[in-house]
Amino acid sequence: MKKVIKIITIIISSVFALILITAVVLGIIFRNEISAISSIILLKPRVENSLQCGIYEMTCKGDYYFEDYLAQGGAKNDRELLDFIMNKMTKGLLKIKINTSKIGCSSFTAHKENGDHLFARNYDLYATNTCLVRVKGNKKRHASISTVDTSFINIPARADMNNLLSRAYALAAPYAPLDGLNDAGISCGIYMTYQGAGKNVIATDQNTDLPDISPTALIRMILDYADSLDEAVDFARSYDMHDSAGTSFHIMVAEPSGRSAILEWVNDTDESDNYGSLRKLVVTYNNNDSNIGQREGEADFQWITNFIIQPGYYKVYDKDLTGWERYNIIYDELSKSSGLVADEMAAMDILHKVSQRTVRPNRNADDFVLTVHSVIYNLDNLTTLWCGNEQYADKEGMFRYKLNSKKRIFE
């Protein structure tokens, strides 16, 4: 009998030892993923039967394999990118998909009396959950903060990120930033351009001998590695751009010196720009944009919405262009003081003036488009003022960050 008990004890001990060893091995293999998933916190809950969706925060301290992504030559399309993410971050155990939609957004640069430079951004889309992604810097990358629309990474707008599966989807978040700021003071964002004749939207799809990249991956690259505006532009010139999911984008980048640039991939005019492979990168700097127009040439600040700014691209530049009204409102507000704003809240007030509820007050009740988030990045003191779901009156409910600080809200 004692011999049987001893055998059983040995078997049970062996099973527990195997389980422990397996857990340790899995913990080592998935240590970066476990760290990221466990860091996710809810900042503001979703409100049922409203446009107020959830706001989350995630911190990435470990590797999300972006260097490996670049080393393999990037990705020509969403499928290649997703295959890479699944193989690297979920070890092939989880299927992830990235969705995109029509994005209507606004951005501008401004400065404060103390010399601080600001980068402001509205993100307009259907009501959706968002996640602020904080990346810890190391010897290879900058620390950064960025915003991600979680509907792009397979998390429904009308669902909470409260289970392991939805949190596992969030592992793709570092590859889907819409805007952000790094600790070198470089800030950037992406905006849809609706390029293509008629109602067709044609994605940029360059095919040369250069490695491949998508707009959000370029934003990640800039946030992780760019020390200056010129370096960010060099990154863009070094890759073939492949816009995601049949849409087209342009990008704006700014640095603490006050310089900024708009990056656009174009070919000839709107009526003939139907071949994404023929597009070339055109960079327009804020200190060299007199070719666009008199007001752009005279302004030190720069601003952007959802149409191509290159002169001659459209037959007529007027209200029929997506974002034309918002473009003019931003200029009107900033030109009153030559781009000078009192503080971050004053810049946020301008974003309020071009938010969806403000510019479209008579929209239908079943219209679920709103300004999902508004953010002011200070490029000099590396702080962030972030507002979700057009809650501009709730100043206490806005989120304030300082890069390289563990504290979320600062005074």
Side-chain angles (χ1 to χ4, degrees):
M1 185 66 180
K2 289 183 179 180
K3 188 174 181 180
V4 173
I5 293 175
K6 186 176 181 179
I7 293 173
I8 294 175
T9 301
I10 292 173
I11 293 173
I12 293 175
S13 298
S14 299
V15 170
F16 276 114
L18 181 60
I19 292 173
L20 179 60
I21 292 171
T22 302
V24 170
V25 170
L26 289 175
I28 294 172
I29 293 174
F30 289 99
R31 63 189 183 282
N32 296 316
E33 292 76 16
I34 292 171
S35 173
I37 289 174
S38 62
S39 75
I40 296 172
I41 59 175
L42 175 64
L43 299 179
K44 265 191 176 181
R46 179 173 56 89
V47 178
E48 289 286 355
N49 302 316
S50 79
L51 298 183
Q52 310 306 306
C53 293
I55 301 170
Y56 296 84
E57 177 192 297
M58 182 175 77
T59 301
C60 297
K61 296 180 180 179
D63 192 5
Y64 41 81
Y65 313 106
F66 193 66
E67 285 194 342
D68 294 345
Y69 165 79
L70 296 177
Q72 72 165 20
K76 287 188 176 181
N77 52 57
D78 289 342
R79 184 68 268 154
E80 288 185 5
L81 173 59
L82 294 174
D83 286 344
F84 172 83
I85 294 173
M86 286 187 293
N87 289 334
K88 281 290 186 178
M89 303 190 76
T90 73
K91 310 303 184 276
L93 299 176
L94 182 67
K95 294 291 184 181
I96 297 176
K97 64 180 180 180
I98 293 180
N99 306 303
T100 58
S101 187
K102 295 181 178 180
I103 304 170
C105 310
S106 310
S107 264
F108 60 86
T109 60
H111 63 279
K112 297 164 59 176
E113 288 187 355
N114 67 0
D116 284 358
H117 297 88
L118 307 178
F119 182 93
R121 193 264 169 80
N122 270 355
Y123 171 66
D124 306 330
L125 196 66
Y126 297 104
T128 181
N129 297 318
T130 50
C131 185
L132 286 90
V133 178
R134 304 175 72 179
V135 170
K136 184 178 180 180
N138 56 37
K139 293 181 179 179
K140 295 182 178 180
R141 72 186 183 206
H142 289 292
S144 67
I145 184 169
S146 60
T147 312
V148 173
D149 178 340
T150 62
S151 69
F152 289 1
I153 53 174
N154 217 35
I155 301 171
R158 302 299 176 184
D160 297 319
M161 201 192 305
N162 58 2
N163 56 60
L164 182 58
L165 181 61
S166 62
R167 287 172 177 249
Y169 287 142
L171 292 172
Y175 289 82
L178 300 165
D179 51 68
L181 169 71
N182 74 14
D183 61 8
I186 308 302
S187 190
C188 50
I190 64 171
Y191 321 84
M192 192 171 176
T193 52
Y194 300 91
Q195 291 167 253
K199 295 183 178 180
N200 295 322
V201 178
I202 306 299
T204 299
D205 188 26
Q206 296 177 306
N207 287 286
T208 70
D209 294 332
L210 295 175
D212 305 296
I213 206 161
S214 65
T216 57
L218 178 58
I219 295 295
R220 172 49 57 200
M221 188 178 187
I222 292 170
L223 294 176
D224 278 3
Y225 307 126
D227 297 321
S228 66
L229 172 63
D230 290 335
E231 191 167 16
V233 172
D234 286 343
F235 289 160
R237 295 190 191 280
S238 302
Y239 285 81
D240 279 343
M241 177 58 68
H242 301 276
D243 287 338
S244 301
T247 57
S248 59
F249 299 95
H250 51 186
I251 289 174
M252 187 172 177
V253 189
E255 69 176 14
S257 70
R259 294 177 66 228
S260 62
I262 293 172
L263 285 59
E264 298 184 316
W265 289 260
V266 295
N267 176 49
D268 200 16
T269 68
D270 182 51
E271 291 186 344
S272 60
D273 194 2
N274 293 316
Y275 302 94
S277 61
L278 298 180
R279 290 181 184 156
K280 305 294 183 182
L281 173 61
V282 178
V283 181
T284 303
Y285 295 92
N286 66 311
N287 56 359
N288 191 25
D289 56 4
S290 58
N291 65 310
I292 299 175
Q294 181 177 351
R295 59 182 180 176
E296 288 83 1
E298 293 176 350
D300 290 332
F301 57 88
Q302 197 167 35
W303 66 108
I304 189 173
T305 56
N306 299 113
F307 58 89
I308 293 296
I309 63 170
Q310 301 306 317
Y313 186 78
Y314 305 102
K315 280 186 176 180
V316 181
Y317 288 77
D318 62 12
K319 61 182 177 59
D320 292 330
L321 298 177
T322 302
W324 180 252
E325 180 183 10
R326 287 179 279 119
Y327 188 84
N328 288 295
I329 292 173
I330 292 172
Y331 172 75
D332 290 343
E333 292 298 320
L334 288 173
S335 63
K336 295 175 184 178
S337 57
S338 298
L340 177 68
V341 294
D343 52 26
E344 281 80 355
M345 280 306 307
M348 186 69 76
D349 288 340
I350 297 176
L351 290 181
H352 186 182
K353 286 180 170 62
V354 291
S355 65
Q356 288 297 303
R357 285 192 177 105
T358 303
V359 297
R360 300 192 302 126
N362 300 317
R363 63 187 185 180
N364 296 331
D366 59 351
D367 189 337
F368 298 123
V369 173
L370 82 162
T371 298
V372 177
H373 79 265
S374 302
V375 60
I376 310 295
Y377 295 114
N378 187 311
L379 313 188
D380 292 274
N381 67 20
L382 306 181
T383 56
T384 299
L385 176 65
W386 197 96
C387 175
N389 303 314
E390 300 188 37
Q391 300 298 293
Y392 302 107
D394 184 14
K395 293 181 175 56
E396 297 300 319
M398 294 183 183
F399 301 104
R400 296 167 173 82
Y401 292 83
K402 185 172 181 64
L403 279 182
N404 296 319
S405 172
K406 293 181 179 180
K407 293 182 178 180
R408 182 176 310 111
I409 299 176
F410 63 91
E411 299 298 337

